[in-house]
Amino acid sequence: MDRWSMAMGESGAALDAGPLVLIGDTAHGPRIEAVNRAGAAAGARRGMMLADARTLCPEIATAPSDPAGDLTFLEDLAIWAQRWGPWSALDAPDGLLVDVTSVPHLFGGEKHLLADVHEAFAKRRLSIRAAIAPTAGAAWALAHYGPDAAIVEGHDAIERALADLPVAALRLDEDVVTVLRRLGLKRMGEIATIGRDAIQRRFRNRKSPAANPLIRLDQLLGRVPEPLLPVVPQQMPLVQRRLLEPIRYRALLDRVVADLAADMARELEGQGQGARRLELQLWRVDGEVVVRRLEMAAATRDPAHIVRLFAARLDDIDAGFGIEMLRLRASWAEPLALEQSDIETAAETRGTSLAACIDRLTVRLGAKAVSRPVPFASYIPERAQRWLPPLEPEPASQGQLAFHARPLKLLDNPEKIAVLYATPDGHPQRFRWRGGVHEVARVEGPERIAPEWWRERGGARLRDYYRIEDGEGRRYWIYRQGIIGDGRGGAPDWYLQGLCA
């Protein structure tokens, strides 16, 4: 299986007008993430601290790096690069791997394929280094350290073609490369001469491929498989309207938006999805594009709800000489199962559903003015909930916390109760709460909850929770804080924290 790999960078005279580096913040100060040609000529290098670079070139210019934007661009580029192969994979931060098995003959051979790749990237002002080899590791090594447009045919030729490349071509961690160089191994061919046993003894405890030269070497030669994660393009639902005559009035605009919302609802329903983020683009006659965005608290494909939310965002639209095209795109969609329409309409008839209410408040007041409670993985009941903005995704849940039954209502703060009589190291037989005395008829427990050692001090006490029922059938959730003789305080205290059904 042949693959080609590439490393790329942006070209252009404007970027090389003077020394320029992209920096990222670290605990020790700004660090260089990328360097243009002029900056590299001045002595700046990727990974160097900015203060060190300024000693070599005081006039060096800086700009903040954007790792998230770079990754998004690389993902888009990986999808675009699938014109040369059935699938592609990311080689972050600046590379791609494309499977070109049985593809070169469509371009007239492997050389012509690489020439087409260089030409296509040059049109987009991207300079690249590309190579074709039977394995991903070999293609990566040639693209980064070998001659440009190198081609290796057959697995038998890999070891001979890569023997003179530096050991860094094995995609190893920096500390591993340093160790190999101190051992006198500077070229990949020298690793084979020293023998596998000597290297195995040195790195036998390294299980990660990037920390073990032998694993990387076997992957490069095709002796062991190297799984790659292909980039799968996702088609976001999109609908649009091209108008015969430009529109300038709000009533006509609302009508077209309503039609787009209905089309989007049908598109989302066909895919079994609901929109979380919508983008409405309006093309004016003079070429200007006006964009309005919406983010919903829950996935939806209700056209009436979408139109109602956009109505508040279109008041300040300047149509100019008229709007000739509208496009509605769901840039964020989530799976949404089919529902019975009469149940949903009943929620709107009797009142406003929670998700719709959150969306309306967010549009009117702003996203920062609204928050919602979400579960949080903590055994301590008062910490098992946090407040987040409605548009933020919920944190990952931990299933091991789900089996604990909790009362329907938790008090904002546990209230101390006076225990009139309790069994030794057990539940209370009688207690006073809010001026009333309660006789305990039934008990379930205890459920012991230890303090969170990474948050609490060393003197924090254990909690033993009980579900109790008094003589009148009322049920409570109480706990004893501390154990007699635990050395962390005096007698244990009792608290009531929840009310059961």
Side-chain angles (χ1 to χ4, degrees):
M1 177 179 291
D2 292 337
R3 295 187 176 95
W4 68 265
S5 175
M6 70 169 190
M8 62 184 177
E10 189 170 356
S11 61
L15 293 178
D16 289 324
L20 174 66
V21 296
L22 301 181
I23 59 173
D25 293 330
T26 66
H28 303 285
R31 185 178 60 187
I32 298 176
E33 302 291 344
V35 187
N36 69 344
R37 293 190 181 94
R45 295 290 183 271
R46 181 179 178 181
M48 179 185 294
M49 305 304 294
L50 179 60
D52 298 334
R54 287 198 184 279
T55 60
L56 300 175
C57 182
E59 65 276 8
I60 196 167
T62 63
S65 63
D66 182 15
D70 294 343
L71 183 60
T72 300
F73 173 73
L74 193 62
E75 291 175 348
D76 296 338
L77 204 62
I79 296 174
W80 174 76
Q82 291 179 2
R83 62 186 61 198
W84 294 292
W87 62 265
S88 60
L90 297 182
D91 179 32
D94 59 356
L96 296 176
L97 291 166
V98 181
D99 182 9
V100 294
T101 305
S102 303
V103 173
H105 72 279
L106 301 176
F107 295 85
E110 294 174 339
K111 292 184 178 180
H112 291 85
L113 187 150
L114 287 180
D116 186 73
V117 170
H118 281 82
E119 181 181 358
F121 278 88
K123 290 180 179 178
R124 286 153 181 82
R125 302 185 64 187
L126 293 170
S127 60
I128 67 167
R129 291 174 51 85
I132 295 181
T135 64
W140 189 96
L142 289 171
H144 285 76
Y145 296 95
D148 191 21
I151 299 174
V152 176
E153 297 182 359
H155 286 75
D156 298 336
I158 295 177
E159 189 170 1
R160 182 174 61 256
L162 276 64
D164 293 333
L165 297 186
V167 292
L170 285 174
R171 297 174 295 167
L172 297 169
D173 295 333
E174 289 294 335
D175 59 334
V176 180
V177 174
T178 302
V179 172
L180 292 176
R181 288 172 178 170
R182 289 176 178 174
L183 294 175
L185 303 176
K186 299 180 180 180
R187 300 292 173 183
M188 293 176 59
E190 298 172 353
I191 296 180
T193 60
I194 196 176
R196 295 180 62 93
D197 293 340
I199 299 178
Q200 178 65 25
R201 288 193 297 270
R202 179 77 182 190
F203 298 96
R204 60 180 179 272
N205 295 326
R206 306 288 185 95
K207 304 301 181 182
S208 172
N212 193 317
L214 294 182
I215 297 179
R216 281 302 195 198
L217 184 62
D218 290 340
Q219 290 178 343
L220 183 143
L221 298 177
R223 296 170 181 168
V224 297
E226 180 180 358
L228 299 173
L229 184 63
V231 178
V232 180
Q234 295 183 354
Q235 298 295 334
M236 292 291 100
L238 183 146
V239 294
Q240 68 179 19
R241 281 285 194 278
R242 295 183 180 271
L243 307 177
L244 295 177
E245 294 290 339
I247 59 175
R248 298 180 57 188
Y249 301 105
R250 177 62 186 271
L252 297 176
L253 179 60
D254 290 340
R255 187 182 305 173
V256 178
V257 172
D259 293 340
L260 285 175
D263 294 344
M264 177 59 70
R266 286 191 291 269
E267 186 76 16
L268 291 169
E269 184 177 359
Q271 300 182 14
Q273 293 183 326
R276 287 291 304 274
R277 183 185 297 115
L278 289 171
E279 296 180 359
L280 178 64
Q281 301 172 334
L282 303 94
W283 270 260
R284 299 195 329 186
V285 175
D286 58 4
E288 183 177 349
V289 181
V290 182
V291 181
R292 292 293 182 268
R293 293 180 176 86
L294 283 179
E295 290 194 7
M296 276 72 72
T300 182
R301 52 172 176 260
D302 181 9
H305 183 54
I306 295 173
V307 171
R308 186 182 299 111
L309 295 178
F310 269 119
R313 295 291 178 88
L314 301 179
D315 292 334
D316 59 343
I317 293 293
D318 181 11
F321 294 104
I323 298 173
E324 59 182 357
M325 188 179 76
L326 292 89
R327 177 180 294 171
L328 183 61
R329 185 171 73 99
S331 57
W332 177 12
E334 293 180 346
L336 183 63
L338 295 175
E339 297 176 348
Q340 297 183 16
S341 59
D342 56 341
I343 295 179
E344 288 297 311
T345 55
E348 288 290 336
T349 302
R350 299 190 182 96
T352 303
S353 63
L354 179 59
C357 178
I358 292 175
D359 292 338
R360 295 179 190 178
L361 292 174
T362 302
V363 170
R364 179 168 298 182
L365 304 177
K368 296 182 179 179
V370 183
S371 58
R372 62 189 173 102
V374 296
F376 181 74
S378 176
Y379 287 100
I380 308 300
E382 58 266 26
R383 295 175 183 164
Q385 174 181 290
R386 288 189 175 182
W387 292 87
L388 293 178
L391 303 181
E392 281 194 20
E394 292 188 9
S397 61
Q398 297 186 6
Q400 64 266 27
L401 305 183
F403 64 87
H404 293 292
R406 292 292 180 257
L408 294 178
K409 181 179 180 180
L410 287 178
L411 303 181
D412 291 336
N413 296 299
E415 298 184 9
K416 194 170 184 179
I417 59 177
V419 175
L420 304 180
Y421 175 73
T423 60
D425 294 333
H427 62 274
Q429 298 291 329
R430 185 185 305 113
F431 67 93
R432 180 185 293 116
W433 176 59
R434 293 185 178 179
V437 178
H438 303 267
E439 296 285 345
V440 178
R442 295 181 179 86
V443 178
E444 178 184 347
E447 174 192 344
R448 175 160 293 180
I449 297 180
E452 296 176 340
W453 56 266
W454 60 93
R455 187 191 303 267
E456 305 284 359
R457 295 182 177 179
R461 311 187 77 176
L462 300 173
R463 295 185 184 182
D464 284 336
Y465 280 83
Y466 297 89
R467 290 175 176 271
I468 63 174
E469 180 180 330
D470 63 9
E472 299 180 5
R474 291 173 295 195
R475 298 180 180 178
Y476 307 92
W477 199 44
I478 66 174
Y479 69 89
R480 180 185 63 230
Q481 187 170 20
I483 303 175
I484 298 176
D486 59 3
R488 297 184 177 183
D493 295 322
W494 289 88
Y495 293 88
L496 189 147
Q497 191 164 14
L499 305 176
C500 305

